[in-house]
């Protein structure tokens, strides 16, 4: 997928990737995200530790492991949403109220593997991060909730988003909060003024869009079977009355264009970094590199992970 769409083939993987994968399974079992040997086999085959190891080949093993744990959690949330056709808006709202309370440090009564995992992740992720950063995380989590609520509305009405509505909806359902998590994992919080700049927002949004749209192509069969409305191919096919092959080609064209926008956003951010304190500049530069490499690592992962292999 990388070569066809012009995404960067990273070619490097963290040397401790296998050990990180083993520890990821141990963590997932401890917090209750997996409970059987079959669950562990699926998690290993999914390779969430591998995409983390490709995106962060030079970071500490603890950094890669923390990011892999969050990716595992993100996909767990996504699977709960996609696989539960009967999920109600009230259930989603209740879940995110509990997540909000946990992030804010308030008592949480919901007992589930998801909340157990978040309870474990919270202190390690929040350590050293400012109130402004936590506010950004919460804002992105609330937009994640709203995207799921919009998906439920589309399912109930039997409708699809328009091509104009889709990119923002997909971006939010894909989890913009994960780019805040990258800051924590790398131990580098972006200064507030820079985080609010158009260049930084475009860097994160373009990186997010590319992973989401590539994922849409690979997960098309699974989501069609689940009547999942949040897929770019399905949206374009419905809107344009074209074949699936033609819709896939259009998504691929949009991926190539978005990749060029990511390159330009990365350039603009690197210019901004030169205005930051000298000791902070290399750390921000590394963080920018990680975020710009996420689409390439994700595309490589799509070619190796067993997560969508049954879907062809």
């Amino acid at each position: 997928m990388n070569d066809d769409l012009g995404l960067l083939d990273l070619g490097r993987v963290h040397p401790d990737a296998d050990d990180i994968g083993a520890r990821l399974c141990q963590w997932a079992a401890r917090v209750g995200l997996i409970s059987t040997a079959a669950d562990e086999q699926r998690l290993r085959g999914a390779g969430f530790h591998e995409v983390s190891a490709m995106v962060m080949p030079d970071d500490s093993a603890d950094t890669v492991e923390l990011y892999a744990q969050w990716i595992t959690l993100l996909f767990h949330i996504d699977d709960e949403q996609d696989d539960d056709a009967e999920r109600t808006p009230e259930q989603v709202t209740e879940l995110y109220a509990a997540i909000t309370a946990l992030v804010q440090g308030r008592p949480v009564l919901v007992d589930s593997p998801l909340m157990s995992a978040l309870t474990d992740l919270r202190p390690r992720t929040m350590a050293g991060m400012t109130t402004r950063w936590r506010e950004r995380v919460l804002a992105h989590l609330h937009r994640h909730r709203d995207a799921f609520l919009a998906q439920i509305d589309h399912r109930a009405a039997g409708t699809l988003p328009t091509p104009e509505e889709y990119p923002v909806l997909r971006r939010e359902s894909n989890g913009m909060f994960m780019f805040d998590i990258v800051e924590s994992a790398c131990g580098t919080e972006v200064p507030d003024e820079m985080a609010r700049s158009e260049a930084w927002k475009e860097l994160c949004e373009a990186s997010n869009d590319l992973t989401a749209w590539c994922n849409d192509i690979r997960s098309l069969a699974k989501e069609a079977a689940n009547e999942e409305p949040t897929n770019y191919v399905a949206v374009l096919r419905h809107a344009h009355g074209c074949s699936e092959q033609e819709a896939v080609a259009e998504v691929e064209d949009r991926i190539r264009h978005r990749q060029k926008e990511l390159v330009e956003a990365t350039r603009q951010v690197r210019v901004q970094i030169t205005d930051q304190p000298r000791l902070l500049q290399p750390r921000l530069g590394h963080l920018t590199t990680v975020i710009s490499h996420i689409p390439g690592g994700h595309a490589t992962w799509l070619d190796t992970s067993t997560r969508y292999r049954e879907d062809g």
Side-chain angles (χ1 to χ4, degrees), residues 5 162-164 167 213-214 216-217 232-258:
L5 298 178
T162 68
E164 293 74 28
W213 301 352
C214 287
D216 282 359
I217 294 174
Y232 215 168
V233 177
V235 165
L236 293 176
R237 185 180 183 185
H238 175 77
H240 301 329
C242 61
S243 69
E244 182 177 291
Q245 184 177 4
E246 290 170 329
V248 168
E250 185 172 347
V251 174
E252 290 175 342
D253 285 342
R254 295 185 183 212
I255 289 170
R256 294 185 187 95
H257 179 71
R258 198 68 173 122

Side-chain angles (χ1 to χ4, degrees), residues 70-209:
W70 273 100
I71 292 176
T72 303
L73 186 71
L74 175 68
F75 276 94
H76 179 84
I77 295 172
D78 189 62
D79 286 344
E80 283 191 345
Q81 167 68 18
D82 289 347
D83 296 342
D84 184 1
E86 302 302 320
R87 179 161 292 228
T88 66
E90 292 74 19
Q91 289 173 316
V92 172
T93 301
E94 180 181 351
L95 170 63
Y96 279 83
I99 292 173
T100 297
L102 193 151
V103 171
Q104 293 175 334
R106 294 187 281 114
V108 177
L109 300 178
V110 177
D111 183 17
S112 70
L114 169 60
M115 297 310 296
S116 175
L118 277 170
T119 299
D120 179 85
L121 287 169
R122 181 187 180 277
R124 291 182 289 129
T125 307
M126 301 293 178
M129 309 305 284
T130 67
T131 300
R132 293 280 186 134
W133 178 86
R134 297 183 190 202
E135 289 171 351
R136 273 198 281 130
V137 172
L138 281 176
H140 286 145
L141 281 167
H142 293 164
R143 282 152 53 182
H144 196 239
R145 171 203 62 202
D146 293 345
F148 281 164
L149 291 173
Q151 287 177 252
I152 289 173
D153 287 344
H154 279 295
R155 283 178 182 160
T159 58
L160 291 172
T162 68
E164 293 74 28
E165 295 168 336
Y166 183 80
V168 173
L169 174 61
R170 183 67 175 99
R171 181 184 305 149
E172 299 303 342
S173 72
N174 201 40
M176 281 301 299
F177 65 87
M178 289 297 294
F179 293 88
D180 306 318
I181 300 303
V182 172
E183 293 178 50
S184 173
C186 290
T188 304
E189 182 173 335
V190 178
D192 188 57
E193 183 177 354
M194 185 174 169
R196 288 187 283 106
S197 71
E198 290 303 316
W200 183 261
K201 288 190 289 186
E202 175 69 356
L203 170 70
C204 296
E205 289 177 359
S207 182
N208 184 324
D209 291 346

Side-chain angles (χ1 to χ4, degrees), residues 1 27 44 60 80 137 157 170 205 211 228 245 259 306:
M1 181 175 285
W27 171 80
R44 284 184 180 274
S60 70
E80 283 191 345
V137 172
R170 183 67 175 99
E205 289 177 359
T211 65
E228 170 53 54
Q245 184 177 4
Q259 170 68 6
T306 62

